[in-house]
Amino acid sequence: MLESRRTRAVLIVLLVVAIALITIDFRDGGDSGAHGIGGRVFGPVESLAGSVTGLAKSGGGNGEISALQTQNAQLRAQLAQAQTSEKDTGQLAGLLHLTAGKYRVVTGTVIAAGGDYSDTVTINVGSGDGIAANETVLNGDGLVGSVTSVTASTATVQLLTDASTTVGVRMANGQIGALSGTAQSLSGSAPLKLTLFSASATLKTGEQLVTFGSVGGRPYVPGVPVGTVRTVTTQPGSLTPTAVVKPLADFTGLGVVGVVVSR
């Protein structure tokens, strides 16, 4: 009875994986990267399902069923790895499109996230790759932050959302201001606070901001997309217009990023 229950559990898992792969291939018309995943994984899954069914009919031993369960787990891990690789490829393509002809970047991948009281991540490139402190970090969506410290093989990036971050920004109408983070720890969705320098400037929801640029391009080079005005918060009698800004970069899904090493 126990073996029968285990066999049914394995078959259910296999059927779920198989149906998911068939659905991916059907939706993509068999032409996308998902089709490649299906080709690599679905064939072994079919074979594995057939083996389990055969064991169920013949009353196969616990050892063989355990081996098949292990193989199933390996196949699921391969599928997850392939999906992650495709996501990183998409992020890299977006980064290269954003920086083409503008900046020279060294690409890296986020390998750790968060600090005790800061919004930071660690990436897998460092001084050995030409990275230095006070350099701009971005991805295919826009500004991510700046490098605060480096080792030979890693770098710490202070994210745009960190409460100690302030970035000079420019609006489409030429008005400039300061954008500040509000997060005390890695939150991913913390809003940004915008303060314009001119008392006569006007703010509208939906307006986009780009970096104004620092002296010498460090820590921020000019022209990098930053975010969009979500809510105007200017109080009556205030000397300067203020707003809440939604960043363009998704800080909950950072993968491939680029560090600007020269203009």
Side-chain angles (χ1 to χ4, degrees):
M1 180 65 70
L2 180 59
E3 291 179 3
S4 177
R5 289 178 179 176
R6 287 179 177 174
T7 301
R8 285 198 297 269
V10 174
L11 286 173
I12 290 171
V13 171
L14 291 173
L15 286 172
V16 170
V17 173
I19 292 171
L21 291 171
I22 292 171
T23 302
I24 291 172
D25 281 348
F26 176 77
R27 289 179 177 175
D28 294 338
D31 296 325
S32 69
H35 182 70
I37 298 174
R40 292 192 299 270
V41 180
F42 186 63
V45 169
E46 283 182 323
S47 176
L48 183 56
S51 299
V52 174
T53 303
L55 280 174
K57 292 179 178 179
S58 62
N62 287 336
E64 293 182 75
I65 292 178
S66 177
L68 290 172
Q69 289 173 329
T70 300
Q71 186 179 351
N72 178 51
Q74 292 172 344
L75 290 172
R76 293 175 65 185
Q78 291 173 10
L79 176 61
Q81 183 177 10
Q83 291 172 331
T84 300
S85 298
E86 288 191 352
K87 179 180 178 181
D88 287 346
T89 300
Q91 291 185 351
L92 177 60
L95 173 64
L96 296 177
H97 176 74
L98 179 63
T99 59
K102 298 178 181 178
Y103 314 108
R104 178 173 173 265
V105 299
V106 172
T107 59
T109 303
V110 173
I111 56 174
D116 292 337
Y117 299 100
S118 62
D119 228 9
T120 61
V121 295
T122 301
I123 58 178
N124 64 347
V125 288
S127 59
D129 305 286
I131 307 299
N134 295 320
E135 292 182 329
T136 306
V137 182
L138 42 74
N139 67 4
D141 297 319
L143 184 65
V144 169
S146 63
V147 176
T148 57
S149 61
V150 297
T151 68
S153 58
T154 65
T156 299
V157 178
Q158 185 179 63
L159 301 180
L160 175 63
T161 50
D162 188 82
S164 62
T165 297
T166 300
V167 183
V169 293
R170 183 192 298 274
M171 300 174 62
N173 60 11
Q175 295 291 339
I176 60 175
L179 194 64
S180 302
T182 60
Q184 296 293 335
S185 61
L186 190 63
S187 59
S189 59
L192 309 173
K193 180 181 178 181
L194 170 65
T195 302
L196 294 183
F197 296 150
S198 173
S200 61
T202 58
L203 279 170
K204 297 180 181 179
T205 58
E207 291 188 275
Q208 292 195 347
L209 312 172
V210 298
T211 53
F212 180 68
S214 309
V215 176
R218 302 179 69 172
Y220 300 108
V221 293
V224 179
V226 179
T228 304
V229 175
R230 186 173 64 184
T231 307
V232 177
T233 59
T234 307
Q235 300 298 317
S238 176
L239 296 178
T240 55
T242 58
V244 173
V245 173
K246 179 181 180 181
L248 293 176
D250 178 10
F251 295 96
T252 63
L254 291 176
V256 177
V257 298
V259 181
V260 180
V261 292
S262 67
R263 184 64 190 269

